[in-house]
Amino acid sequence: TNLILLGPPGAGKGTQAKRLVDQRGMVQLSTGDMLREAMASGSELGRRVKDVMARGDLVSDDIVIGLIGEKLEAGGEGGFIFDGFPRTLAQADALAAALAAAGQGLDAVIEMRVDDAALAERITGRYTCGNCGAVYHDKTRPTKVEGVCDECGSTDLRRRPDDTEEALRNRLMEYYKKTSTLIGYYYAKGQLSVVDGLAPIEEVGAAIDAVLDVD
Ligand code: AP5
Ligand code: ZN
């Protein structure tokens, strides 16, 4: 199964992708995570995207299409979850071409719908484990022991530099200007399902499972 999770910043794409990896053995392909890894490793690519990401602007299509291409070639048992990709029409076309070239297709596109006020709450309260990537929230999903990751015990809990209100405004603008057109694009192909992203995490997960199990 190959699945796209489509939705604005903070919609819960990463949270649900991690659950699908654990429960279904799918492979998560998050272009945001790949770019952050490039920054952490101090690579040339990381240096190039640092300021763009901190502002909340989109990185160029060439860069992210290149990143995804490498991962698709490596193969993914259990199917891929595209998390935060595609974000533009050019990226969507490139993905369709890459999947076709690999003899694969797209099984579902799930739009996670959340209103802007809730997104701001989620983004400003978010922190993640620097060791295993688990995602937490100050109010809705705190670690059981303060300062310690539930999953791996690490104390390396971090906040993202682009999780400020100012950068979030930019990220939302980019989403509505460039990414939200993909809703119509996949709807027209008959591939779009919509899930209420405002529901509690478990309910959103159940709604996603229902879509996957029909396909
Ligand atoms: P990226 O890393 O993709 O960030 P994003 O799209 O802004 O998404 P987020 O990771 O912020 O949110 P999410 O939907 O994963 O939410 P999460 O599950 O964490 O992109 C970052 C940047 O990289 C971009 O701005 C751009 O510069 C660049 N980039 C990346 N991909 C690109 C591309 N393809 N093209 C060009 N540029 C690209 O949840 C958020 C919080 O809410 C958490 O605290 C969580 O615990 C909580 N939460 C989750 N679900 C629920 C729920 N149901 N109820 C209550 N709380 C919940
Ligand atoms: Zn951890």
Side-chain angles (χ1 to χ4, degrees):
T1 310
N2 291 323
L3 162 72
I4 294 176
L5 292 179
L6 187 64
K13 305 180 295 290
T15 299
Q16 295 299 333
K18 297 221 155 46
R19 198 189 53 89
L20 292 168
V21 168
D22 292 344
Q23 295 184 359
R24 295 182 180 240
M26 297 174 75
V27 176
Q28 177 188 13
L29 296 185
S30 159
T31 40
D33 286 349
M34 292 175 207
L35 292 166
R36 280 184 289 276
E37 273 157 31
M39 282 193 287
S41 75
S43 69
E44 158 71 30
L45 169 66
R47 279 194 297 276
R48 246 197 303 161
V49 300
K50 186 166 181 264
D51 293 341
V52 178
M53 283 182 74
R55 275 200 305 272
D57 292 339
L58 289 189
V59 169
S60 76
D61 286 336
D62 293 352
I63 290 179
V64 289
I65 290 169
L67 288 173
I68 285 283
E70 288 168 25
K71 301 283 179 177
L72 283 183
E73 273 165 36
E77 200 106 14
F80 293 109
I81 309 156
F82 299 97
D83 161 10
F85 178 92
R87 270 174 143 97
T88 62
L89 281 174
Q91 292 178 25
D93 287 336
L95 176 61
L99 284 173
Q104 297 193 47
L106 202 53
D107 301 285
V109 179
I110 298 183
E111 182 202 348
M112 302 180 65
R113 214 171 266 180
V114 177
D115 61 58
D116 288 3
L119 295 175
E121 286 256 322
R122 287 188 185 183
I123 290 287
T124 52
R126 168 168 59 187
Y127 55 100
T128 57
C129 174
N131 180 51
C132 76
V135 186
Y136 298 100
H137 189 279
D138 292 325
K139 288 185 192 140
T140 55
R141 194 172 186 268
T143 52
K144 292 195 182 84
V145 178
E146 199 184 329
V148 182
C149 176
D150 293 353
E151 309 280 332
C152 74
S154 168
T155 52
D156 179 15
L157 300 175
R158 307 175 176 181
R159 292 183 194 264
R160 270 167 49 178
D162 60 342
D163 277 354
T164 60
E165 288 198 34
E166 196 192 349
L168 175 62
R169 264 196 299 280
N170 246 339
R171 287 158 66 193
L172 282 172
M173 215 129 70
E174 291 282 72
Y175 180 78
Y176 292 118
K177 266 195 304 198
K178 298 172 184 164
T179 308
S180 62
T181 50
L182 297 181
I183 296 168
Y185 173 96
Y186 288 115
Y187 176 81
K189 290 179 187 289
Q191 289 177 310
L192 190 78
S193 300
V194 181
V195 156
D196 174 15
L198 278 172
I201 294 176
E202 295 70 31
E203 283 177 33
V204 177
I208 291 173
D209 284 344
V211 171
L212 292 179
D213 292 337
V214 165
D215 288 319

